[in-house]
């Protein structure tokens, strides 16, 4: 029986890995190669522009509870992270990312603060009702009702956090803290839904780092960017391993850490960030 060199994949594992890459990333070309370690295999990827990556497969693979949601509007970091959600928790993860993205759109696109607050209030009111009394027809709200039972309070705090960003720049540090706490609480709730209550605090820290890094990358006010980076300084180097079910959170946490090291840069800008997301998704760090 031929020996395997240390750190190498057996031939069947290497072929399976190549097939997975071709399936998930059609624009990536994986050359035929002999069995190789992850570090060698990753060098054989020829990656084009990050904006051309086809991540629509992730939306098609979401469980039936979330099939009605259009996930094409998710920001690229969230779409990449969702690729690594196990099937048993994919619908919950997709619903959370979709709600967060929808709330972000409401805040960013509202011409008047009052209009944004009214729309956020609608989401808060609906999630405060029993599932059978909620409005029907919104795919995200319907999916949350099926996949987030008993954790609506965390989603309401997420809404409250987004509402803190409604106002004139520069926003105070307390508003940015509240926003980060809202996302952090939602990540902790996702850990509970995944059956990983022991990972709640790690997930909470991951959500906080991601929230502040994402905010720093989005805001146009330099003072707000500096405040967000400063608030993240105490946590950005904490990287306890997250359970496999929470691998999407590990991807976002890792991308956020890289962005903070660059002073609040966008989380995904090119091939190195895509490679980092691939590594984080496969091995968790």
């Amino acid at each position: 029986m031929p020996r395997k060199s240390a750190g190498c994949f057996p031939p069947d594992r290497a072929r399976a890995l190549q097939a997975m890459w071709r399936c998930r990333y059609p624009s990536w070309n994986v050359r035929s190669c002999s069995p190789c370690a992850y570090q060698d295999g990753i060098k054989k990827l020829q990656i084009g522009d990050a904006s051309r990556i086809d991540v629509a497969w992730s939306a098609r693979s979401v469980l039936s509870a979330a099939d009605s949601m259009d996930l094409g509007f998710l920001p690229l970091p969230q779409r990449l992270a969702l690729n690594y959600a196990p099937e048993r928790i994919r619908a919950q993860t997709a619903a959370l990312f979709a709600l967060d993205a929808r709330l972000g759109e409401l805040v960013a696109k509202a011409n008047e603060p009052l209009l944004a607050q009214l729309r956020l209030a609608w989401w808060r009111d609906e999630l405060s009702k029993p599932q059978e009394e909620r409005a029907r027809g919104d795919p995200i709200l319907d999916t949350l009702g099926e996949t987030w039972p008993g954790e609506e309070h965390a989603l309401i705090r997420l809404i409250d956090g987004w509402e803190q960003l409604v106002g004139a720049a520069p926003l105070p540090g307390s508003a940015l803290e509240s926003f980060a706490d809202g996302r952090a609480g939602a990540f902790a709730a996702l850990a509970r839904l995944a059956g990983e209550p022991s990972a709640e605090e790690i997930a909470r820290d991951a959500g906080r780092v991601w929230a502040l890094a994402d905010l720093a990358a989005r805001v146009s006010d330099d003072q707000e960017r500096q405040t967000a980076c400063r608030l993240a300084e105490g946590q950005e180097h904490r990287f306890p391993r997250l359970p496999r079910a929470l691998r999407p959170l590990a991807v976002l946490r890792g991308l956020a850490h890289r962005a903070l090291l660059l002073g609040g840069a966008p989380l995904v800008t090119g091939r190195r960030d895509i490679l980092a997301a691939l590594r984080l998704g496969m091995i968790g760090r």
Side-chain angles (χ1 to χ4, degrees):
M1 180 177 180
R3 295 178 58 189
K4 295 183 295 183
S5 59
C8 290
F9 291 132
D12 57 342
R13 179 70 181 279
R15 286 191 293 270
L17 186 59
Q18 292 171 4
M20 180 192 71
W21 280 333
R22 292 192 189 99
C23 176
R24 294 189 175 184
Y25 307 102
S27 62
W28 293 14
N29 177 28
V30 183
R31 301 175 183 173
S32 299
C33 59
S34 58
C36 56
Y38 169 76
Q39 291 83 354
D40 293 329
I42 200 66
K43 296 176 183 177
K44 298 182 182 295
L45 291 175
Q46 294 179 331
I47 302 174
D49 185 358
S51 64
R52 299 178 183 176
I53 292 178
D54 181 9
V55 293
W57 73 272
S58 62
R60 294 195 298 270
S61 63
V62 172
L63 295 178
S64 58
D67 281 346
S68 59
M69 288 194 302
D70 177 11
L71 301 179
F73 75 103
L74 291 181
L76 182 57
Q78 285 91 306
R79 283 185 285 160
L80 291 173
L82 187 59
N83 291 344
Y84 301 99
E87 185 174 344
R88 66 183 179 87
I89 196 66
R90 186 168 292 151
Q92 292 89 333
T93 307
L96 173 59
F97 288 174
L99 174 63
D100 183 79
R102 175 71 65 82
L103 298 176
E105 284 187 348
L106 294 180
V107 172
K109 295 182 178 180
N111 295 325
E112 297 291 338
L114 179 59
L115 182 59
Q117 290 173 330
L118 288 173
R119 291 174 175 173
L120 292 173
W122 181 86
W123 280 96
R124 186 184 296 110
D125 292 343
E126 290 300 318
L127 289 171
S128 299
K129 299 176 183 177
Q131 181 181 353
E132 61 273 10
E133 297 179 12
R134 296 175 192 169
R136 304 293 297 179
D138 185 283
I140 298 176
L141 183 62
D142 293 345
T143 303
L144 288 170
E146 297 180 28
T147 59
W148 277 72
E151 292 291 351
E152 289 85 356
H153 60 284
L155 301 177
I156 292 172
R157 287 200 296 270
L158 176 65
I159 297 170
D160 294 340
W162 273 106
E163 189 171 11
Q164 294 298 311
L165 301 186
V166 177
L171 294 170
S174 58
L176 308 190
E177 286 264 23
S178 297
F179 168 71
D181 289 343
R183 273 185 167 177
F187 272 27
L190 185 62
R192 293 191 293 270
L193 289 172
E196 300 286 353
S198 61
E200 279 186 44
E201 290 308 312
I202 304 176
R204 189 184 304 276
D205 289 342
R208 180 178 172 81
V209 171
W210 170 58
L212 293 170
D214 186 46
L215 185 61
R218 291 188 181 199
V219 296
S220 57
D221 186 86
D222 289 338
Q223 184 175 337
E224 288 183 351
R225 181 179 299 105
Q226 293 171 7
T227 301
C229 291
R230 177 177 54 80
L231 291 173
E233 285 178 358
Q235 290 187 299
E236 64 183 62
H237 297 293
R238 297 174 60 183
F239 284 94
R241 183 178 291 275
L242 282 158
R244 177 65 184 86
L246 302 177
R247 188 60 56 82
L249 311 191
V251 173
L252 292 177
R253 179 183 64 180
L255 293 176
H257 172 68
R258 291 167 55 86
L260 288 169
L261 292 178
L262 297 175
L267 272 65
V268 177
T269 58
R271 58 179 294 175
R272 290 188 177 183
D273 299 318
I274 300 296
L275 285 172
L278 176 62
R279 172 179 56 81
L280 290 162
M282 294 186 68
I283 65 177
R285 59 175 59 191

